[in-house]
Amino acid sequence: MGAAGPLCALLVLLATGTGTGTGPAPPRLVLALLARNAQHSLPHCLGALERLDFPAGSIALWCATDHNSDNTTAMLQEWLGAVGQDYHSVALKVQEEPSSYPDELGPKHWSDKRYENVMKLKQEALTYAREQQADYILFMDTDSILTNNQTLKFLMAQNKSVVAPMLDSQTFYSNFWCGITPQGFYRRTPDYFPTKNRQRRGCFRVPMVYATFLIDLRKEETSQLAFYPPHPNYTWAFDDIIVFAYSCQEAGVEVHVCNQQHFGYINVPVKAHQTLEDDHANFVHLTLEAMVDGPPMQRSRHISLLPRPLTKMGFDEIFLINLVRRPDRRQRMLASLQELEIIPRVVDAVDGSTLNSSDIKVLGVDLLPGYYDPFSGRTLTKGEVGCFLSHYNIWKEIVSRGLERSVVFEDDVRFEAAFPARLQRLMDELERAQQDWDLIYLGRKQVNDEDEAPVEGVRNLVVAGYSYWTLAYAISHHGAQKLLATKPLSKMLPVDEYLPIMYDKHPNEDYKRHFSPRDLLVFSAHPLLVYPTHYAGDSNWLSDTETSTIWDDDAKKTDWAGSQKTLRDSRGSAGHLRSTARDEL
């Protein structure tokens, strides 16, 4: 193919039946899908399309893909070959060469020529829908995943000229603007966050929607809408979504976004200088967030994907602690780790609820004299005994197997973006700095307010102060030896109280005198690399340590009331949102 890269257009007309039966025929829809360098999100996007509750025979697919440097075209062709006959018709437009635009700085850079091409493609799809006398056209980006299979019917039922389902992301980003300046720039308004957070619910008029939206072609006012060429009076930025917003404004067409339901997700775009690998990492993070918050995304079963090699990120072992009676947590964590290309060893947790007093005595467990929960005043729970024993057994395995570096996960972990790369970078810097360490918190709750000292020569690492939680940490062979050497089972307290004692940051001097030496070298990732999936008071929160019984009295039940350990950290008011991506843009 020549340097000019001629456009190869393929139109395949398939069965044109729109269903049988005596009821009214469903509306005719053109679904326009534009895909470029989307192999990481395309299987999920197409999987969502397959599950839409709408007759495929009434949908004409209009697909375009161009300037790819990945496997997008092959994926799209494979999918259309498998499901195309189910749809009214299929139009596919492919431009394989060149793989980049002459004026772009990289595959994530939006240059003028790229904007112009996208505008032309969207205009071509819109013209095609009008020529086919379709009732609607749904534009959909490949980084929009509609997990709600009723989305299309819902949007049609709103009877709006242009309407979008509000899509959730791993930050405050979404697929609409609430305000726009007279010059066409983004304007922050007091309505955005209440809408994005669903503190107000409904279908709201907005100046702009993008990524995924429906146009009602039956309405006369939409006949003037266009993507290309821009309106003769247009002076705003050369950007397809802003051009379309201006077109709606000039035509007097109202644009709406609806947030009454959870419709699906949108990936946060990376910066112009970033790479396809960065975009992929972002999408993996979105996939993990969907697994926690639900509903999860599902890939199309019609796309062949090569198995990805799983690693231990340079560690000797990755331990995952899970109660057998919590299979949902095990399944989610295994799926999350697979997305992160991490292979764990699952360790069945010790179930404290099944331990009777005889079991506890046989194990050599006894309570640390004078221990009481600092918030509720209760003593140790059976859940806390089981939790301690679970971690203790892993420390023993680390020592017996001679494992130099390991990671321990509990099963209620929410990962930050690019978790494997960030952890590996941290460990590499630690090694280059020749810094000794015994344990590194990957996630925790910092108890005290004071700043913690940074570790010289290692970015994003601090000397850990008094901390709660053991949801994720790296541990060395030497660190495990130290934790075992004090024989903690005979003077047990919660494991997340034991660790600060061992690095001499616990405030209770009476507790500390039972353990010596207290020279564990403990640091913490900063910012943290994981957070809990839920906190006390959340609708889906569940704790087998807090909601339990007293360790030596099954008649005394406990819950989280009065304990602040499992509450959200007030300093982390943005929760698990990435610190660098907490804005709507």
Side-chain angles (χ1 to χ4, degrees):
M1 189 172 290
L7 196 67
C8 171
L10 173 65
L11 179 65
V12 185
L13 297 179
L14 301 164
T16 57
T18 56
T20 59
T22 57
R28 294 163 297 177
L29 172 80
V30 168
L31 194 153
L33 183 72
L34 277 65
R36 185 196 178 197
N37 290 327
Q39 69 176 19
H40 54 280
S41 62
L42 190 58
H44 298 81
C45 175
L46 298 178
L49 293 186
E50 294 167 15
R51 286 179 281 275
L52 284 176
D53 183 16
F54 194 84
S58 295
I59 299 176
L61 295 175
W62 190 97
C63 306
T65 183
D66 64 281
H67 295 83
N68 293 304
S69 55
D70 67 3
N71 204 35
T72 296
T73 299
M75 281 184 172
L76 191 55
Q77 289 173 331
E78 181 184 15
W79 184 76
L80 290 173
V83 306
Q85 67 273 11
D86 298 331
Y87 290 86
H88 177 277
S89 59
V90 174
L92 174 62
K93 199 160 195 173
V94 177
Q95 181 180 349
E96 279 295 84
E97 298 291 342
S99 61
S100 62
Y101 291 91
D103 60 339
E104 73 177 7
L105 304 177
K108 303 312 297 181
H109 173 227
W110 281 86
S111 66
D112 284 350
K113 288 189 180 298
R114 181 178 180 184
Y115 276 125
E116 183 176 23
N117 189 51
V118 168
M119 291 180 211
K120 288 179 177 178
L121 289 173
K122 288 185 175 181
Q123 183 61 44
E124 188 174 337
L126 183 57
T127 301
Y128 174 78
R130 287 168 176 158
E131 290 173 348
Q132 296 297 312
Q133 297 184 321
D135 298 308
Y136 297 91
I137 181 169
L138 178 72
F139 284 96
M140 189 166 177
D141 286 355
T142 53
D143 60 357
S144 300
I145 316 297
L146 298 177
T147 52
N148 185 337
N149 71 347
Q150 299 300 310
T151 298
L152 198 47
K153 288 182 176 179
F154 179 92
L155 295 178
M156 290 178 176
Q158 305 314 302
N159 193 29
K160 305 293 187 185
S161 297
V162 178
V163 60
M166 191 190 80
L167 300 176
D168 297 306
S169 75
Q170 61 271 57
T171 71
F172 294 139
Y173 176 78
S174 191
N175 60 320
F176 69 98
W177 287 8
C178 273
I180 195 167
T181 70
Q183 296 78 32
F185 296 110
Y186 178 81
R187 181 168 64 86
R188 180 171 287 180
T189 74
D191 293 330
Y192 183 84
F193 286 106
T195 306
K196 173 66 175 67
N197 297 332
R198 293 189 174 86
Q199 292 161 320
R200 65 169 192 159
R201 292 175 181 255
C203 284
F204 304 104
R205 186 176 177 183
V206 294
M208 179 195 291
V209 294
Y210 50 95
T212 293
F213 56 93
L214 185 74
I215 303 175
D216 189 340
L217 301 175
R218 302 168 305 173
K219 296 183 181 294
E220 177 61 29
E221 60 183 8
T222 64
S223 64
Q224 302 303 311
L225 297 181
F227 290 93
Y228 192 86
H231 191 277
N233 298 333
Y234 188 78
T235 59
W236 294 356
F238 197 63
D239 180 316
D240 61 298
I241 62 175
I242 302 178
V243 166
F244 183 71
Y246 187 89
S247 178
C248 291
Q249 179 178 296
E250 287 298 300
V253 173
E254 293 187 357
V255 178
H256 290 81
V257 65
C258 301
N259 70 350
Q260 297 98 314
Q261 300 178 20
H262 288 272
F263 297 104
Y265 303 94
I266 183 171
N267 194 31
V268 176
V270 296
K271 307 293 184 184
H273 67 275
Q274 291 183 278
T275 65
L276 295 181
E277 289 74 21
D278 295 323
D279 199 35
H280 179 216
N282 257 14
F283 188 78
V284 167
H285 185 230
L286 180 64
T287 304
L288 302 185
E289 292 293 281
M291 290 181 188
V292 173
D293 298 325
M297 305 179 198
Q298 299 180 50
R299 292 181 176 90
S300 169
R301 58 185 178 87
H302 299 293
I303 294 179
S304 305
L305 297 173
L306 294 174
R308 292 171 296 177
L310 305 181
T311 76
K312 295 180 182 179
M313 303 182 293
F315 289 87
D316 298 312
E317 192 61 272
I318 308 292
F319 293 96
L320 170 59
I321 302 174
N322 167 258
L323 281 170
V324 173
R325 60 183 169 88
R326 301 290 182 212
D328 53 331
R329 290 187 172 190
R330 179 177 300 211
Q331 181 180 2
R332 184 196 67 81
M333 277 297 293
L334 288 175
S336 297
L337 291 169
Q338 174 134 0
E339 288 291 337
L340 293 169
E341 301 179 10
I342 298 171
I343 183 168
R345 184 175 111 64
V346 179
V347 176
D348 291 339
V350 176
D351 193 341
S353 67
T354 66
L355 298 175
N356 56 40
S357 56
S358 297
D359 297 327
I360 290 175
K361 286 182 179 179
V362 167
L363 292 168
V365 172
D366 203 352
L367 181 68
L368 178 73
Y371 171 74
Y372 291 97
D373 180 87
F375 300 107
S376 66
R378 60 158 175 77
T379 187
L380 199 66
T381 70
K382 280 192 173 180
E384 289 170 332
V385 172
C387 181
F388 196 112
L389 289 171
S390 300
H391 287 271
Y392 183 85
N393 290 341
I394 287 176
W395 302 338
K396 287 203 304 181
E397 181 174 339
I398 288 171
V399 172
S400 66
R401 290 175 58 191
L403 304 177
E404 289 301 321
R405 304 195 315 174
S406 303
V407 172
V408 180
F409 291 121
E410 294 180 346
D411 62 6
D412 56 348
V413 169
R414 184 192 292 264
F415 294 93
E416 282 288 82
F419 169 82
R422 292 168 67 183
L423 177 55
Q424 287 174 292
R425 183 170 62 243
L426 177 65
M427 300 307 295
D428 288 344
E429 291 187 9
L430 198 63
E431 186 170 349
R432 284 196 297 272
Q434 298 183 330
Q435 172 66 59
D436 290 335
W437 64 277
D438 292 324
L439 186 143
I440 300 172
Y441 286 109
L442 307 181
R444 61 171 177 147
K445 180 176 182 178
Q446 183 183 347
V447 178
N448 299 323
D449 290 331
E450 62 263 17
D451 291 337
E452 296 170 322
V455 177
E456 186 176 352
V458 185
R459 293 172 298 173
N460 308 124
L461 192 70
V462 296
V463 178
Y466 183 30
S467 305
Y468 286 147
W469 305 341
T470 51
L471 71 163
Y473 57 88
I475 183 170
S476 71
H477 181 270
H478 197 218
Q481 286 179 318
K482 289 181 179 181
L483 292 170
L484 296 172
T486 62
K487 303 189 183 308
L489 297 192
S490 62
K491 42 199 173 186
M492 186 180 288
L493 73 171
V495 66
D496 63 349
E497 300 276 11
Y498 175 59
L499 293 184
I501 287 175
M502 290 300 292
Y503 59 91
D504 210 26
K505 291 294 178 69
H506 199 288
N508 191 306
E509 296 297 329
D510 288 336
Y511 296 169
K512 290 197 294 186
R513 65 183 176 83
H514 293 274
F515 302 92
S516 182
R518 298 184 298 273
D519 58 353
L520 199 69
L521 292 173
V522 178
F523 304 100
S524 175
H526 180 77
L528 297 172
L529 299 181
V530 304
Y531 290 87
T533 54
H534 301 92
Y535 297 87
D538 291 352
S539 58
N540 294 321
W541 178 81
L542 177 67
S543 171
D544 291 295
T545 55
E546 299 285 345
T547 307
S548 184
T549 60
I550 295 302
W551 76 289
D552 59 352
D553 188 350
D554 285 339
K556 292 185 178 179
K557 297 186 180 301
T558 64
D559 59 28
W560 71 274
S563 176
Q564 298 180 34
K565 277 190 178 182
T566 51
L567 292 175
R568 191 183 301 271
D569 189 342
S570 61
R571 284 167 307 227
S573 58
H576 56 273
L577 294 180
R578 299 204 309 279
S579 59
T580 56
R582 290 177 180 156
D583 209 343
E584 58 268 42
L585 283 178

